[in-house]
Amino acid sequence: MSIVNGNESESQIRKGPEPGVRGFLLLFCIMCIFLTPFVGIYNLINDYQNASSDFDYIPGLRLFMIVESILRAFVILFGILAGASILSLWNEAIRITKAYLISFLCSLVLGMALLFSLVEFPPDYYDLVLSKVAYETLTSLVYFIVWYLYINFSRRVRITFPNSFPETQKNKKQEL
């Protein structure tokens, strides 16, 4: 008994995933469009509420929160654009998505630099601040690494957006 349907050939089975936004690529889009903005907005509100009582006592904290809010809003909007561009199958979707992920990572680094350059924390706050920074850094790095590697090496992404991967087009031309 053959597992191959009469309408399918072995070459179609070996080909792998069909083009389209499915599986992990769809999960990435949902995360960019819905989950990441909601988590980002929640964190902004929560951080602002927690920090607002200390604005008068910790120099630079209010300025940092304003700049950080603008930075996070930019990254959130860019993430929504990246997810929507993939769902829309734009030709430049992968370039936009890579730029979003790199800007996500750069905003993390810039946020940490601003935190320690603008804000003058009292010595008893350093343990709390360092633990929060370590947690956000670790989760952000995991998010960046997982999705950046997926976007760069996924067969589904390469099949769905072949124009974004010139080496894939060269290999297909050589096969013909």
Side-chain angles (χ1 to χ4, degrees):
M1 181 178 228
S2 174
I3 61 170
V4 178
N5 188 348
N7 297 334
E8 296 176 331
S9 68
E10 281 188 46
S11 64
Q12 288 175 327
I13 293 173
R14 285 188 201 148
K15 203 182 241 185
E18 294 179 21
V21 181
R22 298 184 201 108
F24 285 114
L25 189 57
L26 180 60
L27 176 65
F28 176 73
C29 292
I30 290 169
M31 287 181 67
C32 285
I33 295 171
F34 299 109
L35 186 63
T36 303
F38 287 126
V39 169
I41 290 167
Y42 171 79
N43 285 340
L44 274 174
I45 292 169
N46 191 34
D47 289 349
Y48 190 84
Q49 287 175 343
N50 289 337
S52 64
S53 61
D54 294 331
F55 284 163
D56 295 332
Y57 305 109
I58 301 176
L61 185 58
R62 182 184 315 262
L63 177 62
F64 168 75
M65 290 303 298
I66 292 169
V67 173
E68 180 70 10
S69 296
I70 293 168
L71 191 60
R72 284 189 188 184
F74 169 76
V75 171
I76 288 170
L77 292 173
F78 201 7
I80 293 170
L81 175 66
S85 68
I86 290 174
L87 280 177
S88 301
L89 298 174
W90 287 356
N91 286 337
E92 297 297 318
I94 299 305
R95 182 174 287 154
I96 291 169
T97 302
K98 287 179 181 181
Y100 155 68
L101 289 169
I102 291 170
S103 69
F104 175 84
L105 187 63
C106 289
S107 73
L108 173 70
V109 172
L110 182 59
M112 285 191 299
L114 290 171
L115 178 67
F116 292 111
S117 64
L118 293 177
V119 183
E120 298 175 29
F121 289 106
D124 56 332
Y125 274 59
Y126 276 108
D127 288 337
L128 175 68
V129 170
L130 289 178
S131 66
K132 184 161 176 66
V133 166
Y135 174 77
E136 282 195 30
T137 301
L138 183 63
T139 56
S140 296
L141 283 175
V142 168
Y143 176 85
F144 172 79
I145 290 168
V146 166
W147 290 117
Y148 197 80
L149 290 175
Y150 176 76
I151 293 298
N152 279 306
F153 297 108
S154 167
R155 289 178 63 200
R156 177 173 308 282
V157 174
R158 288 178 181 270
I159 290 169
T160 304
F161 299 98
N163 295 336
S164 298
F165 300 95
E167 67 277 0
T168 304
Q169 289 180 333
K170 287 179 187 175
N171 292 339
K172 283 187 178 183
K173 287 180 183 176
Q174 290 175 353
E175 289 175 5
L176 297 175

